[in-house]
Amino acid sequence: MLESAVVDGCCQWVAATPLGVRLRESANLFSIVETTHVLGIVGTAGLVTIIDLRLLGVLLPQSPAQDVLRSLVRIAWYGFALMLISGLLLFCAEAADLCRNRAFALKMVLLVALGLNQWIFQVTVYPGIVARDPSLSLRRRAQAAALLSLILWAGVVALGRAIAYV
Amino acid sequence: MFARKLIARSMLICGLALSPDAVAHHAFAAEFDGKKPIRLVGVVTKIQWTNPHTYFYLDVETGAGATTSWACEAGNPGALSRRGWNRDDVKIGDTLIVEGYLAKDGSRLVDIRRAILPGGRSVNGGTPGDGGPEDRGAEDGTAQH
């Protein structure tokens, strides 16, 4: 397929950049970036888990959802930035192999799904949820989004590990 | 409640996936068979000094002038360097002796547990803590003989 040949060519090119080569052949830098990536995931997925559990009513039922979300979302984005930057660096180092890795491809699909879930929640559910008396259907939608988010994040982490085993 | 069970399970999976043990790259047993030891003497044709694993490609004589090609996997550049196996120790055209284990899938891929470098030095080629044969954890992996 033409598309896959183009993707493959791009990946080979990324892997051959000085940055990719430097990281791939480094004595310590690669493992530092790997560790940073895990810390970024912990920061993001950990905080998102707390947010999702609040939306599901499992955690902090006494605290208004708005307060919980407002204080945690901002920090979760810092974790996400850490995860994204270190993830891009790891991709540069291993692009040649990753573009043929099924676990990696599926992980990217789940990340896009997470982004869509988050975006739809932010636009259609969040404004109503923080209002004084959200309707039952709105609360149900928030819970559905939270449950989906939990499952997708678990999938992202599991697939991230699976990259080394397929 | 069904939702609670599901959440608990998702969290368990998250926890397992993020446990310190899983953060290491793939372990010996994921790819290699500890019951199939092999020793190869071959000429180095290609070197990949890369993370997360290094690879040394050998042409091994099979008699009558014929050779077969083998891929030999070792630990990452940092782990090898800490045991005194540095990038310049093996060059293309050198003869390398490799003791290790065959891949489970039957391909000509070997996990290097010990290598005799061209200079005659014997070094352990595994990653500390990978769980493979003769893994001595964080200890210096230099072989005894």
Side-chain angles (χ1 to χ4, degrees):
Chain A
M1 242 163 69
L2 181 66
E3 289 98 321
S4 66
V6 171
V7 170
D8 209 55
C10 288
C11 290
Q12 303 295 334
W13 181 83
V14 169
T17 57
L19 179 68
V21 175
R22 174 92 194 274
L23 282 164
R24 190 163 57 249
E25 300 185 354
S26 68
N28 299 308
L29 207 56
F30 186 84
S31 44
I32 292 169
V33 177
E34 271 186 320
T35 305
T36 308
H37 193 56
V38 174
L39 288 174
I41 293 166
V42 170
T44 319
L47 291 174
V48 166
T49 299
I50 297 173
I51 292 165
D52 289 341
L53 291 179
R54 171 61 191 87
L55 289 173
L56 286 165
V58 177
L59 215 64
L60 306 167
Q62 311 302 327
S63 316
Q66 191 181 11
D67 291 355
V68 175
L69 264 70
R70 197 182 280 155
S71 30
L72 296 188
V73 166
R74 201 166 53 93
I75 310 171
W77 278 113
Y78 287 123
F80 184 79
L82 206 60
M83 180 181 109
L84 184 68
I85 293 165
S86 57
L88 286 171
L89 289 172
L90 287 176
F91 179 76
C92 288
E94 296 196 88
D97 295 323
L98 286 176
C99 69
R100 298 187 200 115
N101 190 300
R102 272 192 230 161
F104 177 76
L106 193 53
K107 180 184 169 182
M108 292 304 111
V109 170
L110 291 201
L111 276 171
V112 170
L114 267 169
L116 283 173
N117 184 46
Q118 164 71 20
W119 181 68
I120 292 167
F121 172 81
Q122 197 69 39
V123 173
T124 67
V125 183
Y126 182 73
I129 269 298
V130 297
R132 194 162 280 266
D133 272 313
S135 68
L136 184 67
S137 73
L138 206 58
R139 286 213 303 272
R140 285 274 173 266
R141 286 184 65 184
Q143 288 177 345
L147 197 58
L148 187 60
S149 159
L150 282 172
I151 293 165
L152 287 174
W153 270 109
V156 164
V157 172
L159 286 167
R161 271 319 294 162
I163 288 170
Y165 295 86
V166 293
Chain B
M1 204 173 89
F2 174 72
R4 282 200 186 199
K5 261 190 191 166
L6 200 60
I7 293 159
R9 277 183 200 158
S10 308
M11 286 175 76
L12 183 68
I13 293 166
C14 268
L16 287 174
L18 288 171
S19 71
D21 192 52
V23 174
H25 213 263
H26 77 229
F28 175 86
E31 220 173 329
F32 300 99
D33 188 342
K35 292 191 187 78
K36 288 183 184 163
I38 186 168
R39 186 176 200 269
L40 295 173
V41 181
V43 175
V44 179
T45 59
K46 187 180 162 192
I47 298 168
Q48 275 176 259
W49 190 256
T50 55
N51 284 291
H53 299 286
T54 54
Y55 290 92
F56 299 83
Y57 295 84
L58 301 183
D59 271 357
V60 179
E61 273 193 45
T62 51
T67 59
T68 47
S69 304
W70 288 80
C72 304
E73 181 181 304
N76 64 72
L80 294 187
S81 298
R82 281 189 289 277
R83 292 145 181 213
W85 181 348
N86 291 302
R87 187 180 188 147
D88 297 335
D89 288 342
V90 180
K91 294 184 177 68
I92 288 169
D94 283 347
T95 297
L96 188 67
I97 303 171
V98 162
E99 289 169 8
Y101 293 86
L102 283 169
K104 281 177 171 172
D105 66 3
S107 61
R108 285 206 290 273
L109 173 68
V110 170
D111 181 78
I112 304 179
R113 305 315 295 183
R114 183 176 300 160
I116 319 279
L117 301 179
R121 213 150 34 90
S122 172
V123 288
N124 185 315
T127 302
D130 67 0
E134 290 175 49
D135 169 32
R136 287 187 280 142
E139 237 180 283
D140 179 1
T142 308
Q144 293 302 300
H145 67 246

